[in-house]
Amino acid sequence: MKQKYEHIQLLRALACIGVFITHLAPRLGATGKAAWLANQGAAGVYLFFVLSGYLACCDRKLPTAGKKELLTYYKKRLVRILPLYYGVILYNILLHGLILKDIPADPQGLYWLRYFFLTNSVIPAPNDFWGNLSATWTISLFMAFYLLVPVFVRLIRGCTSAFFCYVLALILRYLWVKTGYGDYMMIFYYLHYFLLGMLVWEIHQAGRRIGAQLLVYIGMIAAAGAGLALGRAQTDSFIWWSWCFGMLLLAGSGFRFCRKGIGGRISDAVLWTDRYSYEIYLVHAVILEGLGMVRVQIGLPNAAFLILALLLTGAGAVLSKKLIEDPIAGLVARSRMWYHSRSLEN
């Protein structure tokens, strides 16, 4: 993406921080209002969903992409998401399979195939070990959405069609739960978050001023909310959060980072978090789990746990990018160039 959307960089960093705090707070023994406040950071996951929908529309080639362009799009998504994900899974195989030897039984007999084939959101797991190891449950949802993106960018042609798709996705969420198969094919349950991001993109591209965009958005969301109320659909706080995130996406389009003084240093920290947001998203749970095991052995105080969690998560994010993601991305790029050169020779 050549153009820099600074409000998106800010929101992505905040989403990352929110998820981190949600997983950190129980390790620090947070209770009462502190625990409740920390748990709101889980909304960061849904902010990532909304942002993914918004950013998926930024590729203007997709609506008219041919087979070759689609293959290139899918390759980019696979190379961006899967290497570090599989690195986390391999780490857990070594840790739980060879060192701790505490792998629980899987009644369905899938075991590690659940993670290698991204079945977390397709087939219900018997426990968190087989469904959300190291907080990886959302990766299969992201992959499912990116698989569907070329379909939606062809279907959506403006605000009206985007709103129609969003409403249908909301209806699908509730109908899917009522079938009794809500734990299967969970993309049907979460798809509306991604489509909300696509709706926001279409409203933003309509060319109106920010005030008019917000009025259109509020009107559409009010209509969707009224429909849910009339249908007596049970909502959760994350749907309300997502509507707020959509408003922030629209209202914040003119946001620019401060580049001087203390504000500049804060901006640098936010931009660094955004740059490594995906790495932090996957690495932080591994770090927190590891520190938790260390704490059992030597009794780390909360202050030391917090400092180590921050330092090791940051270091782990940088190292995972340099040692896993960048080499694989470079290998894929070189293989693509080699294949292209061979094609020209033939």
Side-chain angles (χ1 to χ4, degrees), residues 137-345:
W137 72 276
T138 57
I139 302 303
S140 59
L141 288 175
F142 283 113
M143 290 305 300
F145 170 68
Y146 290 128
L147 184 66
L148 296 171
V149 162
V151 176
F152 284 114
V153 294
R154 283 170 166 79
L155 286 175
I156 294 174
R157 297 291 192 213
C159 299
T160 303
S161 57
F163 178 67
F164 184 69
C165 288
Y166 174 68
V167 171
L168 286 180
L170 272 178
I171 295 171
L172 177 61
R173 166 190 168 119
Y174 291 101
L175 290 179
W176 190 246
V177 171
K178 287 186 176 182
T179 64
Y181 293 98
D183 291 334
Y184 293 85
M185 296 297 295
M186 291 170 62
I187 186 62
F188 295 155
Y189 186 85
Y190 292 101
L191 181 61
H192 64 94
Y193 293 109
F194 296 97
L195 290 181
L196 178 63
M198 301 183 93
L199 170 61
V200 172
W201 167 267
E202 292 298 335
I203 294 174
H204 184 64
Q205 295 301 304
R208 305 179 182 92
R209 293 184 177 181
I210 295 297
Q213 292 176 15
L214 287 172
L215 286 176
V216 170
Y217 176 76
I218 291 171
M220 289 183 169
I221 293 306
L228 292 177
L230 290 173
R232 297 181 179 180
Q234 185 177 1
T235 60
D236 56 48
S237 63
F238 295 123
I239 290 182
W240 297 94
W241 272 115
S242 71
W243 292 344
C244 294
F245 296 148
M247 188 173 297
L248 288 174
L249 265 176
L250 283 174
S253 58
F255 171 81
R256 295 295 181 269
F257 283 105
C258 176
R259 303 297 181 183
K260 298 179 180 179
I262 296 176
R265 288 192 286 273
I266 294 174
S267 296
D268 289 341
V270 172
L271 290 170
W272 184 92
T273 304
D274 167 66
R275 180 184 177 188
Y276 291 100
S277 57
Y278 180 65
E279 291 77 17
I280 294 171
Y281 187 76
L282 278 182
V283 166
H284 81 279
V286 171
I287 298 298
L288 293 178
E289 290 163 359
L291 286 175
M293 288 185 282
V294 171
R295 171 178 259 181
V296 171
Q297 300 298 322
I298 64 174
L300 285 174
N302 280 346
F305 190 98
L306 174 60
I307 293 171
L308 286 173
L310 291 171
L311 292 176
L312 293 177
T313 297
V318 174
L319 289 174
S320 63
K321 181 173 178 58
K322 293 187 179 299
L323 299 180
I324 298 176
E325 294 182 305
D326 288 349
I328 291 178
L331 179 63
V332 171
R334 288 192 295 273
S335 65
R336 188 184 300 123
M337 292 176 61
W338 177 83
Y339 178 78
H340 181 67
S341 64
R342 289 295 299 270
S343 299
L344 292 177
E345 291 175 2

Side-chain angles (χ1 to χ4, degrees), residues 31-157:
T31 58
K33 291 182 179 179
W36 178 87
L37 185 62
N39 285 336
Q40 302 311 302
V45 171
Y46 303 91
L47 176 52
F48 275 124
F49 291 166
V50 176
L51 290 173
S52 295
Y54 185 92
L55 292 171
C57 297
C58 292
D59 190 342
R60 306 312 295 167
K61 297 179 181 179
L62 271 181
T64 57
K67 184 182 296 185
K68 185 177 180 180
E69 290 79 12
L70 287 177
L71 286 175
T72 299
Y73 165 78
Y74 286 131
K75 286 177 183 177
K76 287 181 178 179
R77 292 295 88 203
L78 290 172
V79 171
R80 177 70 185 103
I81 294 174
L82 293 185
L84 183 54
Y85 165 76
Y86 282 130
V88 170
I89 299 306
L90 289 173
Y91 159 81
N92 278 286
I93 290 175
L94 293 173
L95 177 66
H96 295 283
L98 300 179
I99 299 174
L100 300 179
K101 297 182 179 179
D102 60 351
I103 297 177
D106 182 352
Q108 293 169 311
L110 294 175
Y111 292 94
W112 295 108
L113 294 178
R114 291 181 180 274
Y115 291 105
F116 282 113
F117 291 102
L118 300 163
T119 68
N120 314 54
S121 63
V122 178
I123 303 171
N127 50 54
D128 274 351
F129 187 95
W130 294 120
N132 190 28
L133 191 62
S134 295
T136 55
W137 72 276
T138 57
I139 302 303
S140 59
L141 288 175
F142 283 113
M143 290 305 300
F145 170 68
Y146 290 128
L147 184 66
L148 296 171
V149 162
V151 176
F152 284 114
V153 294
R154 283 170 166 79
L155 286 175
I156 294 174
R157 297 291 192 213

